[in-house]
Amino acid sequence: MKVDALRLIGVQRRYLQGDTPLEILRGAELALRPGEAVALTAPSGAGKSTLLHVAGLLERPDAGDVIVRGASTSAMSDDGRTALRRSSIGFVYQFHHLLPEFTARENVMMPQMIRGLDKREAGRRADELLAYLGLGAREAHRPAELSGGEQQRVAIARAVANAPHVLLADEPTGNLDPRTADHVFETLMALVRATGLAALVATHNFDLAQRMDRRITLRDGLIVETK
Ligand code: ADP
């Protein structure tokens, strides 16, 4: 049996509001298998971003464990978590957050070079990914010279540049018109199918949620499956 790409076990996360603790996650459980796309839909304030931050090793849970491809992270040092995040987890946000002074190609090369790959190898991978995402002719463009859909596809290419096992997306099509959203979503799904990446996608878009393999929501700090 293939090892889960990501598992959450009894994840708790609370914030202090003044003296009052806000219990956002109260024992969240989740298993993401390689090659599956899971939609996360919940009302604003339910804890979707918190869940994605904890799952993406950007925040530590107050209790419980995040397991990335069989590796428990609860006892890992911050450096260990950062290294694991860089190699195994990709992020896509509602706004592309591309570096404006760099080209599409350079934006996709960046995370690879931060991870220690040499420039030629990073460039080769960027070319391959951008061509796969239909952006071969846009490589030398800066973000301002790209359409919203193109910017978001470059952001997806950047997120998977280091061949992560898990992709975490927070409203990746939330800022796009319906047709462009559809195209960007299809690009993302094609990537999931082709690479065996596991994707957790927070979205308010009911139609896109229905096209993923499973749907989950947050209820009273717990993850529950929905139809
Ligand atoms: P969602 O993404 O579903 O809208 P969030 O995860 O952003 O929800 O937030 C869940 C709740 O936790 C909200 O009530 C929010 O105000 C609170 N919250 C989030 N981050 C912090 C923080 N760093 N400090 C205090 N409260 C926070």
Side-chain angles (χ1 to χ4, degrees), residues 13 15-17 22 24 42-51 53 59 170 218:
R13 187 76 180 103
Y15 299 113
L16 277 180
Q17 199 173 54
L22 279 178
I24 307 301
S44 195
K48 297 183 295 297
S49 301
T50 302
L51 180 70
H53 289 162
E59 281 182 40
D170 200 348
L218 281 163

Side-chain angles (χ1 to χ4, degrees), residues 9-174:
I9 298 177
V11 165
Q12 297 180 26
R13 187 76 180 103
R14 64 187 70 88
Y15 299 113
L16 277 180
Q17 199 173 54
D19 291 338
T20 326
L22 279 178
E23 309 272 350
I24 307 301
L25 302 174
R26 300 171 183 248
E29 303 270 340
L30 178 68
L32 282 187
R33 289 181 289 275
E36 82 171 343
V38 177
L40 168 62
T41 54
S44 195
K48 297 183 295 297
S49 301
T50 302
L51 180 70
L52 292 172
H53 289 162
V54 171
L57 309 180
L58 291 166
E59 281 182 40
R60 280 185 190 270
D62 295 303
D65 200 357
V66 178
I67 297 176
V68 182
R69 284 191 93 215
S72 163
T73 61
S74 59
M76 266 186 201
S77 66
D78 287 345
D79 286 351
R81 286 163 56 92
T82 299
L84 184 61
R85 183 172 65 242
R86 285 188 181 146
S87 64
S88 301
I89 302 174
F91 295 89
V92 181
Y93 300 95
Q94 180 172 1
F95 300 99
H96 58 78
H97 297 304
L98 297 170
L99 298 170
E101 65 274 33
F102 292 97
T103 65
R105 187 172 192 263
E106 289 164 344
N107 267 283
V108 180
M109 289 170 66
M110 205 71 72
Q112 304 179 71
M113 293 174 66
I114 288 171
R115 206 187 149 200
L117 228 66
D118 73 58
K119 213 170 163 176
R120 251 190 62 190
E121 194 52 32
R124 202 191 52 71
R125 168 99 178 139
D127 293 340
E128 185 183 294
L129 268 173
L130 288 168
Y132 181 80
L133 298 183
L135 293 163
R138 298 284 182 273
E139 291 215 338
H141 292 224
R142 291 198 169 75
E145 302 158 349
L146 298 170
S147 72
E150 287 169 346
Q151 290 168 346
Q152 215 45 346
R153 281 185 286 145
V154 176
I156 291 171
R158 179 187 52 184
V160 300
N162 285 328
H165 304 285
V166 179
L167 183 74
L168 301 173
D170 200 348
E171 293 284 354
T173 64

